[in-house]
Amino acid sequence: MKTTNAAAVSSVSSAGEDVGSDCFVRVRKRDFEKLEAEVRTLRELMPKEKLVLKQQLWECREELQQQKAFYTELGAASCTLLWSASQREETIRDILADGKLEPFLSIAGQTMETFIKFLNDEAKPQQSSNSKEHHLVLALAGVVTNIAAVSCGRDFLSSSAHILLDTLLQLLCLMKPGVFPKLKVLMLMALYNITISGNGLKLISESPGLLPLLCTLLEDPDPEVCLQSLRLLQSLLLEREVMSHMTTDFLSSFPLSRIHHLASSRHPALKQIAQETLEDLASFTNTQTKDAVKEQ
């Protein structure tokens, strides 16, 4: 048997040479037998150790699921209460006075984003419409809508919640037609409320994907989604200065035929606002034509 001492092996390794399979060390028979016994014992115990680990892992996962369900239910209940309370203007003023609104809005945006992106990637939305997670994000969107319904609230959102507003627009782009219409309606209502503020209107109108988004939303099968989309569009049309920088894209890409179709809807409120929107569009187009003639 070829042998080599520890010093020789060490020096060879430090020199960068490969210690191949033909290199051996001398081991006492007693030590070898002890090592062999330990390996045999490990092989016998390995399945039982693996089974125990699997059981522990399953228990940890089950505990995490229970904790998740509990905190989601707690969050949904709490936010639903806040949604109800936020219908009073005094509540919004008190929330603003506490100075805690900004972190709440950050959490609200992140929660809605996580919910929608997860469903797009993993689950079937129609199976989650009655879930606690859905009720939670509905309540969060409802609170944001109520905040934007009060002048001091929408002023705050327009000045200090740009990330949240961008998130709402991005999430509306991600949500497929016919999916979670109640959530879409609340988001659109929040955006419409914000456009009542001059700063809010300017901020939202400058979003590069706004017009394509409205085009998509007007094709949604839910009449309330179409209704709120038209309300948001009307808010833009009433401000000539805001629309002036969008004229070319707007006239070339907006689906007027769809609005004509909605003007014949059996949904009374949708039918009325669609007809009003067509009138606003006609007025807007005439104004743009006259301005172009004057410039010539």
Side-chain angles (χ1 to χ4, degrees), residues 178-214:
V179 173
F180 297 119
K182 291 182 180 179
L183 183 55
K184 287 180 183 176
V185 166
L186 287 171
M187 290 180 173
L188 287 166
M189 289 174 66
L191 293 172
Y192 169 77
N193 287 342
I194 291 170
T195 61
I196 297 174
S197 162
N199 290 335
L201 178 63
K202 184 175 185 297
L203 178 66
I204 292 176
S205 67
E206 290 176 349
S207 174
L210 181 60
L211 288 179
L213 171 61
L214 289 176

Side-chain angles (χ1 to χ4, degrees), residues 227 230 234 258-264 269-279:
L227 173 62
L230 286 174
Q234 275 191 318
R258 175 60 177 170
I259 302 179
H260 279 286
H261 176 74
L262 295 175
S264 302
L270 177 58
K271 178 178 180 179
Q272 180 179 349
I273 198 168
Q275 292 173 346
E276 292 175 356
T277 304
L278 288 173
E279 294 173 0

Side-chain angles (χ1 to χ4, degrees), residues 12-24:
V12 170
S13 298
S14 63
E17 296 180 6
D18 183 23
V19 179
S21 59
D22 60 341
C23 295
F24 302 91

Side-chain angles (χ1 to χ4, degrees), residues 58-106:
W58 183 87
E59 290 175 355
C60 289
R61 287 176 175 173
E62 185 68 17
E63 185 177 352
L64 286 174
Q65 284 296 113
Q66 292 176 357
Q67 290 180 356
K68 176 186 175 184
F70 171 77
Y71 287 114
T72 300
E73 187 170 358
L74 176 63
S78 302
C79 289
T80 300
L81 288 175
L82 181 58
W83 185 7
S84 178
S86 65
Q87 294 178 16
R88 301 177 68 248
E89 183 173 346
E90 295 81 0
T91 303
I92 303 301
R93 295 186 182 279
D94 290 342
I95 292 174
L96 284 170
D98 287 340
K100 300 294 178 62
L101 184 56
E102 194 165 354
F104 169 81
L105 294 176
S106 176

